[in-house]
Amino acid sequence: MRQRMIEQGAGGFSIGRCAGALAAALLLVGAASDRAPSIKDPYSSTYRPLPSRTVMITGATLLDGRGQQIDGGSILLAGGKIVAVGRDIIAPADAEVIDGTGKWVTPGIIDVHSHVGNGPMPEVVGADSVNEFVGPVTAEVWVEHGVLVQDPAFSRAAAGGVTTQQILPGSGNLFGGRTAVLKTVPARTAQAMKFPGAPYGLKMACGEIPTMSYNAANHPYGTKGERPATRMGNFAIYRATWIKAQKYRAAWAAYDKAKAAGATGLVAPDRDLTLETLAGVLDGDIRVHMHCHRADEMAMVLSMAREFGYHVSAFHHAVEAYKIPDLLKKEGTCAAMWSDWWGYNMESYDGVQQNIGLVHRAGGCAMIHSDHSVTIQHLNQEGAKARAAAHRLGIDISKADAWTWMSYNPATALGIADRTGSLEPGKMADVVLWSGDPFSIYTHSEKVFVDGAIVYDRSNPASRWVSDFELGQSGAGDMK
């Protein structure tokens, strides 16, 4: 786990009523950039699906990612999409038919918390691009600018059935920077992996890690003697920064309104990359993904979000989510959790193996996440452990329901559930064929499809995806 290694509203006011505010806002500015403060996409996706064939898998057990299981079912993939799911599907004449008897089919796994690419393997200092350790507010950095697409971990993640992943900055700072959602495909550039149209995220962090990154204590995370030094300091900086973002957003709203009204002689506010990202959050265009372990701290963050008018899409590493599942459900906030990992610092001390099951039972949006290039290779087994722990507490969760933790719920948190995360006609053909029950430790992926194209085929070693970094080295194209 990447962190484990390190941590072991709209403006809308009238010109007349707020002329003073407008004038003040415009006086703040200098050079004209003539750009709106909200989300823009200068590094837009150039992703194009890889070539694919029409494929039909028959006679398999299907978990649709929405809580339904179909025994003896079939699925038809064509043109990069899921065309049909059910028991009575007729294969087109040009389809490659795969006998799925005894095998299982699921949506591709979506890892909502990955550091593949920005914390590439092998983990060496020169390649690391996880934490911008220069100050507690670094919302101006974009993780896609630090992704090494030749990270061998991408192909290993594909072999584990991961078809989409969100890459995040680390948790060393209160505002860590923008996230990016990538398809798990071989590519020459990060832009060629970007999930088309996926909203950006903002990585935030609370608790011990950002507090210890800059305080004056003799602590391995940092001794710079800078703020924040306490959790109180964390929230003081959050709130002061959101106030700046509100002013920035209002300044741009005033400028845009005046421009639309035909005003002349206007000077646009200066662009500020930090506040631009935060304004995107306030506009609802950028989703907040926040590292937070303790239940009381998560509740406080939700109150802060209400104070400033934004929404927290998900808490990550939510070790104590089981204490507030009703609150998380009420706020529509997902919880990304591990099956059985806690105790690595004080704020993670009160973990229980039933965390995911308890959030699920309460009707919350539970998710499995990896946070590391090894864990991402067996997230199906993490789901199995979480399901088994819930069962031991008397919480019976079907395998079909448990799979929502790994595909549909993460897709919801990322804002892409209308395109992937479940086996439904019209959605992207992001699909995994498993050798058996994916909740069994003896099962492995046989074929992994991204937009209908095979990115991993266990039966064909020659097709293995080998990164440039691996060429000529032992282990290149290993069996994974």
Side-chain angles (χ1 to χ4, degrees):
M1 154 191 163
R2 192 66 209 155
Q3 287 310 311
R4 292 177 216 175
M5 300 297 179
I6 297 171
E7 299 160 9
Q8 300 240 333
F13 52 81
S14 71
I15 297 275
R17 185 157 51 93
C18 298
L22 172 60
L26 299 182
L27 285 173
L28 285 173
V29 303
S33 57
D34 205 22
R35 297 289 299 270
S38 186
I39 183 172
K40 297 297 177 185
D41 197 10
Y43 307 93
S44 58
S45 171
T46 60
Y47 171 76
R48 298 290 182 273
L50 296 168
S52 63
R53 301 176 56 184
T54 299
V55 173
M56 183 156 160
I57 303 172
T58 63
T61 300
L62 275 57
L63 304 180
D64 72 353
R66 300 293 301 271
Q68 298 298 316
Q69 176 172 327
I70 303 173
D71 297 322
S74 299
I75 182 168
L76 175 62
L77 315 179
K81 303 292 186 183
I82 297 172
V83 175
V85 179
R87 290 194 179 89
D88 301 314
I89 304 172
I90 298 175
D94 62 341
E96 174 189 356
V97 178
I98 299 173
D99 182 5
T101 304
K103 302 178 182 181
W104 293 51
V105 176
T106 69
I109 294 172
I110 298 174
D111 187 0
V112 73
H113 193 119
S114 169
H115 292 295
V116 174
N118 67 330
M121 305 295 287
E123 293 186 333
V124 295
V125 173
D128 184 274
S129 196
V130 177
N131 280 290
E132 181 73 358
F133 273 128
V134 298
V137 181
T138 56
E140 73 275 16
V141 303
W142 296 28
V143 77
E144 63 201 77
H145 298 156
V147 169
L148 175 65
V149 298
Q150 298 298 336
D151 183 352
F154 278 118
S155 66
R156 272 64 173 178
V162 176
T163 55
T164 299
Q165 50 192 298
Q166 177 177 230
I167 315 299
L168 303 96
S171 303
N173 300 331
L174 300 175
F175 294 87
R178 289 203 195 194
T179 73
V181 181
L182 305 182
K183 288 274 193 174
T184 311
V185 294
R188 295 180 299 168
T189 68
Q191 289 171 268
M193 300 176 74
K194 287 181 71 174
F195 194 110
Y200 276 107
L202 168 64
K203 173 67 180 296
M204 294 181 65
C206 60
E208 293 183 20
I209 306 304
T211 301
M212 293 179 177
S213 294
Y214 301 103
N215 70 27
N218 183 20
H219 193 281
Y221 296 134
T223 58
K224 296 182 179 178
E226 300 175 4
R227 299 185 69 192
T230 65
R231 283 182 160 83
M232 297 181 294
N234 286 352
F235 273 81
I237 295 175
Y238 295 140
R239 299 176 75 206
T241 306
W242 285 121
I243 289 171
K244 291 179 182 176
Q246 287 179 323
K247 290 181 178 178
Y248 180 78
R249 181 169 175 259
W252 271 100
Y255 168 79
D256 288 340
K257 190 167 185 175
K259 184 178 179 182
T264 59
L266 296 173
V267 178
D270 278 340
R271 286 185 69 192
D272 182 307
L273 293 178
T274 298
L275 299 179
E276 190 169 288
T277 291
L278 301 184
V281 173
L282 297 176
D283 284 341
D285 296 328
I286 297 177
R287 294 174 172 241
V288 171
H289 293 268
M290 192 153 188
H291 159 126
C292 218
H293 293 76
R294 278 179 20 189
D296 54 355
E297 203 158 24
M298 286 187 261
M300 200 66 74
V301 167
L302 291 172
S303 293
M304 179 173 64
R306 287 192 295 272
E307 178 184 5
F308 292 99
Y310 66 91
H311 177 252
V312 179
S313 183
F315 286 115
H316 295 228
H317 318 336
V319 168
E320 292 188 5
Y322 69 94
K323 297 182 179 180
I324 54 167
D326 53 336
L327 179 57
L328 296 174
K329 179 183 178 182
K330 177 184 175 184
E331 297 291 339
T333 297
C334 296
M337 298 162 279
W338 293 292
S339 62
D340 55 1
W341 199 70
W342 65 83
Y344 40 87
N345 52 15
M346 283 305 298
E347 64 187 0
S348 66
Y349 188 74
D350 207 9
V352 298
Q353 292 178 314
Q354 292 78 17
N355 193 20
I356 295 173
L358 288 166
V359 172
H360 179 93
R361 185 178 67 175
C365 173
M367 305 184 293
I368 295 279
H369 69 338
S370 76
D371 198 20
H372 193 259
S373 300
V374 174
T375 308
I376 198 173
Q377 299 175 37
H378 53 77
L379 286 172
N380 59 313
Q381 295 172 11
E382 295 301 304
K385 289 191 291 183
R387 179 173 174 268
H391 179 74
R392 289 194 293 273
L393 192 64
I395 306 172
D396 291 323
I397 301 171
S398 71
K399 293 175 181 177
D401 279 336
W403 200 265
T404 62
W405 305 339
M406 289 168 276
S407 62
Y408 190 76
N409 288 354
T412 299
L414 295 174
I416 55 176
D418 59 333
R419 283 157 283 175
T420 189
S422 58
L423 303 182
E424 296 178 274
K427 286 195 170 181
M428 295 170 167
D430 299 340
V431 174
V432 183
L433 174 64
W434 302 90
S435 61
D437 179 353
F439 291 92
S440 167
I441 197 171
Y442 300 106
T443 293
H444 49 72
S445 65
E446 289 197 349
K447 297 182 190 296
V448 179
F449 302 85
V450 174
D451 287 303
I454 292 182
V455 296
Y456 176 74
D457 186 345
R458 189 176 177 84
S459 67
N460 184 10
S463 69
R464 297 286 161 74
W465 167 13
V466 179
S467 76
D468 290 353
F469 179 83
E470 295 180 277
L471 291 173
Q473 301 193 49
S474 61
D478 64 9
M479 291 297 291
K480 308 175 181 65

